[in-house]
Amino acid sequence: MDQRRKILDLLLSNARESTTDIARQTGLDEATVEETITELEDDGVVRGYQAVVDWQQLADDDEHVQAEVELNVELDRETGYEDIARRIVKFPQVSSLRLFSGDYDFAILVEGESMHDVSQFISEQIAPIPEVTQTVTHFVMETYKDRGIVFGDRDDDDRLSISP
Amino acid sequence: MRIADRVERVPPSGIRRFFELAEEKEEVISLGVGEPDFSAPWAARTAAIDSLERGRTSYTANRGMRELRTEIADHVRRYDLDYDPDEEILVTTGASEALDVAMRAFVDPGDRVAVPQPSYISYVPGVVFAGGEPLAVPTRVENDFALTYEDLTNAGAEDAEQLILCYPNNPTGATMSRSELAEVAEFAVDHDLMVLSDEIYAALTYEGEHASIATLPGMRERTVVFNGFSKAYAMTGLRLGYAMGPPEAIRAMNRIHQYSMLSAPTTAQYAALEALRSCDQEVVEMRDQYDRRRRFVLSRFDEMGLDCFEARGAFYAFPRCGGDDERFAEELLRQEDVAVVPGSVFGTGGEGHLRVSYATGLDELRTAMDRIERFVDAR
């Protein structure tokens, strides 16, 4: 495995891993680790670092609503997927936008503080886009796993503390 | 009540005291565990569940399910081992049962059994329970804890009937290359020793490839190889292992196995079958994670000035603690809530060392190493 991939693997499992600890685990020197991370960022391979949040663990008054919205669009000679995507990604409520093969064209993940917020955003901002022919909204009822991290998985280590 | 002499001869396990000490404390970070912190691959677990749902709860053939033996025979070809699933493989309740049965099958009262040390804590008692006389063969850190012809000669192993090997090694993490094993093979042939080769950590070899002594000239006919699913597949609690050797050896072992265990747990055999068929990738991922932790731990010991042998297999580091290892481990536990196992419990050559398992998540490992560093600095 090349060193970029080794470092990426570690950042994927913990983006807060220090360069010192990455160096310790990979056997690379710290300077190389730092340079490689900078390169990965400069090349646009690493696009950012975010926490994976289990919103359910926050207090009840911090409501957080997510919805997966499927979009069907109609293209014409002047408008391609890219054009539509460029327009949609600008909304701060849209946290991810992907083009799919299959029954629908785009899937967007919309986040808001209430179901009303999210519904209003879709009906007032997304549905009226001229190329959008259909939206199907699926509100997220529960998240069990996100970006490889299992939520609610707080099993204690039940191994014996000393074993042969 | 009268207890048999051979049982009385074996003292309670040296790790028992540390286990009890660790259990007294509430917030211990344990680096004393000899088992993976991962769970068995999900596909293996679902196979176990499925077997139960289908009501497959009866005995299997004494030797283990034929399908499983065939899969094992295919699997071990990666180590250049070639065994007939019908005659040369026995599925057991963990590699531990395989070793116990082997000692009872091959060791006559008074037989000397050479046990390189430091070594896994069950070998010496296993020899004693079988009526044999354990012969300690110290290995040296200067030789990377590899066993040499000279070590065997110095210990008087030419009079032994059997030799137990364990590479990659618990507790040192040492491995032995093919050329190093060739010396041991030469000794075994020269002095007509049978070899019991515990290769349970074979899949957890980080540098180089695992070599089995049974693949060396003249060794297949005098070697029984042991392996299992506990370490590589994180299936410790399912208790499934296997032994491979010449037909007469496996027949002899099966004669005992069929009267004691009858057959290995059926549910675990289904899990193992699936593990071999579809869980290679999970093994690689677990090994990669152990490897990162290994480098991390070795690097931290180096930075804190604890001389640490560079483990190349299993999931243990074996640093020198500079002095009384039992006292070091006990004080570390009392003062910093970090449990490690003193090297001396693993026999001659383990004194002055600690066995530090890195089968623990990196966050905990990081905290534990910070605490060990603080403890070392304060001494």
Side-chain angles (χ1 to χ4, degrees):
Chain A
M1 198 187 296
D2 72 8
Q3 67 189 43
R4 280 161 69 103
R5 188 58 201 264
K6 277 185 190 168
I7 291 170
L8 272 178
D9 274 357
L10 288 172
L11 290 175
L12 273 168
S13 61
N14 180 9
R16 296 191 71 200
E17 197 82 273
S18 69
T19 49
T20 314
D21 280 355
I22 292 175
R24 285 176 175 135
Q25 291 174 73
T26 54
L28 301 167
D29 60 61
E30 274 190 70
T32 309
V33 172
E34 291 209 22
E35 268 169 38
T36 310
I37 293 176
T38 308
E39 253 176 49
L40 286 164
E41 290 168 354
D42 291 348
D43 293 351
V45 178
V46 171
R47 310 299 293 231
Y49 303 91
Q50 285 188 333
V52 177
V53 177
D54 182 353
W55 293 101
Q56 305 261 5
Q57 302 305 317
L58 275 182
D60 287 346
D61 49 351
D62 272 315
E63 203 183 343
H64 185 87
V65 174
Q66 291 176 308
E68 292 271 357
V69 184
E70 301 168 6
L71 297 187
N72 277 308
V73 298
E74 199 168 70
L75 304 179
D76 57 37
R77 280 176 190 279
E78 311 276 299
T79 320
Y81 288 125
E82 289 284 325
D83 302 302
I84 301 165
R86 255 200 299 275
R87 183 165 171 184
I88 296 173
V89 288
K90 293 207 167 66
F91 292 109
Q93 292 92 333
V94 173
S95 59
S96 81
L97 170 66
R98 292 188 170 88
L99 179 65
F100 279 84
S101 60
D103 289 344
Y104 53 91
D105 301 307
F106 288 104
I108 62 179
L109 183 67
V110 177
E111 307 204 27
E113 287 181 4
S114 65
M115 285 174 83
H116 178 70
D117 256 8
V118 172
S119 310
Q120 200 172 29
F121 168 70
I122 294 159
S123 60
E124 291 179 5
Q125 305 291 338
I126 300 295
I129 295 173
E131 293 82 7
V132 171
T133 56
Q134 190 187 29
T135 66
V136 179
T137 304
H138 306 275
F139 282 100
V140 175
M141 295 168 71
E142 187 82 61
T143 301
Y144 299 103
K145 188 176 183 182
D146 190 9
R147 283 177 278 169
I149 294 177
V150 178
F151 287 9
D153 183 18
R154 290 163 182 271
D155 286 349
D156 289 333
D157 187 348
D158 54 4
R159 295 176 297 165
L160 301 173
S161 45
I162 302 277
S163 68
Chain B
M1 188 179 289
R2 185 182 173 278
I3 306 294
D5 288 347
R6 65 183 182 286
V7 177
E8 296 282 18
R9 273 180 64 198
V10 174
S13 159
I15 66 170
R16 184 77 219 159
R17 197 168 71 85
F18 276 88
F19 173 69
E20 281 162 7
L21 270 175
E23 289 300 289
E24 283 170 16
K25 310 240 342 70
E26 279 187 5
E27 297 295 329
V28 167
I29 297 180
S30 181
L31 308 182
V33 276
E35 65 176 313
D37 57 322
F38 302 102
S39 294
W42 181 236
R45 284 187 269 161
T46 53
I49 294 165
D50 181 62
S51 78
L52 288 171
E53 281 179 347
R54 287 170 190 267
R56 291 170 171 162
T57 51
S58 47
Y59 297 131
T60 67
N62 294 139
R63 285 168 181 258
M65 285 158 36
R66 189 168 190 285
E67 264 179 302
L68 176 58
R69 282 181 277 126
T70 305
E71 206 66 45
I72 290 168
D74 286 346
H75 174 79
V76 298
R77 286 201 184 95
R78 67 187 60 189
Y79 304 123
D80 295 326
L81 294 167
D82 188 10
Y83 288 100
D84 174 1
D86 291 327
E87 299 281 334
E88 298 182 315
I89 297 178
L90 175 68
V91 176
T92 55
T93 307
S96 299
E97 192 231 340
L99 274 151
D100 178 49
V101 166
M103 292 196 214
R104 288 195 278 155
F106 309 130
V107 177
D108 269 328
D111 274 4
R112 285 194 189 184
V113 182
V115 185
Q117 296 193 345
S119 70
Y120 175 53
I121 60 165
S122 294
Y123 299 145
V124 166
V127 171
V128 175
F129 291 142
E133 298 288 338
L135 175 74
V137 184
T139 58
R140 289 164 294 156
V141 67
E142 303 79 58
N143 288 341
D144 291 343
F145 290 112
L147 182 64
T148 65
Y149 198 107
E150 191 189 351
D151 293 332
L152 287 159
T153 307
N154 289 344
E158 60 271 15
D159 294 333
E161 305 293 330
Q162 292 89 15
L163 164 66
I164 298 177
L165 290 185
C166 174
Y167 293 95
N169 182 265
N170 174 8
T172 61
T175 55
M176 277 183 74
S177 66
R178 215 175 150 71
S179 59
E180 287 168 328
L181 283 169
E183 263 192 51
V184 178
E186 190 186 341
F187 188 94
V189 171
D190 287 352
H191 301 287
D192 195 21
L193 261 64
M194 178 175 189
V195 174
L196 307 180
S197 183
D198 179 354
E199 298 175 20
I200 187 93
Y201 292 100
L204 302 180
T205 302
Y206 308 106
E207 290 175 28
E209 289 194 346
H210 172 71
S212 173
I213 193 163
T215 60
L216 293 172
M219 291 310 295
R220 190 184 189 282
E221 58 269 34
R222 61 174 67 248
T223 303
V224 176
V225 176
F226 302 85
N227 207 325
F229 295 83
S230 293
K231 311 298 180 180
Y233 296 94
M235 283 168 48
T236 45
L238 278 95
R239 310 305 308 126
L240 206 76
Y242 52 94
M244 300 170 293
E248 64 276 19
I250 295 302
R251 263 199 304 277
M253 287 174 65
N254 192 32
R255 202 172 303 166
I256 301 170
H257 170 79
Q258 72 187 353
Y259 290 119
S260 54
M261 285 295 166
L262 278 84
S263 60
T266 305
T267 311
Q269 291 192 53
Y270 280 104
L273 187 61
E274 187 59 33
L276 290 176
R277 284 181 175 163
S278 68
C279 300
D280 267 6
Q281 187 52 35
E282 281 90 336
V283 175
V284 169
E285 282 164 17
M286 288 189 272
R287 189 186 62 201
D288 285 350
Q289 288 213 39
Y290 292 135
D291 189 20
R292 288 176 199 148
R293 298 172 190 177
R294 175 184 74 105
R295 291 168 188 275
F296 174 80
V297 166
L298 291 175
S299 158
R300 290 294 307 264
F301 279 133
D302 184 47
E303 287 160 21
M304 65 179 87
L306 281 196
D307 185 19
C308 188
F309 161 69
E310 192 172 339
R312 297 193 175 95
F315 38 58
Y316 309 106
F318 204 60
R320 262 195 235 267
C321 63
D324 182 338
D325 53 296
E326 293 217 12
R327 198 163 152 205
F328 185 107
E330 191 170 332
E331 283 178 8
L332 177 66
L333 180 57
R334 289 193 194 285
Q335 290 176 29
E336 294 289 352
D337 292 330
V338 175
V340 297
V341 185
S344 51
V345 307
F346 301 99
T348 320
E351 304 89 352
H353 289 264
L354 305 168
R355 189 192 74 173
V356 176
S357 161
Y358 46 84
T360 294
L362 195 75
D363 287 344
E364 286 212 302
L365 214 45
R366 203 181 337 250
T367 309
M369 297 309 284
D370 288 346
R371 293 184 190 178
I372 295 174
E373 185 167 23
R374 190 165 59 201
F375 179 78
V376 170
D377 286 348
R379 290 183 97 213

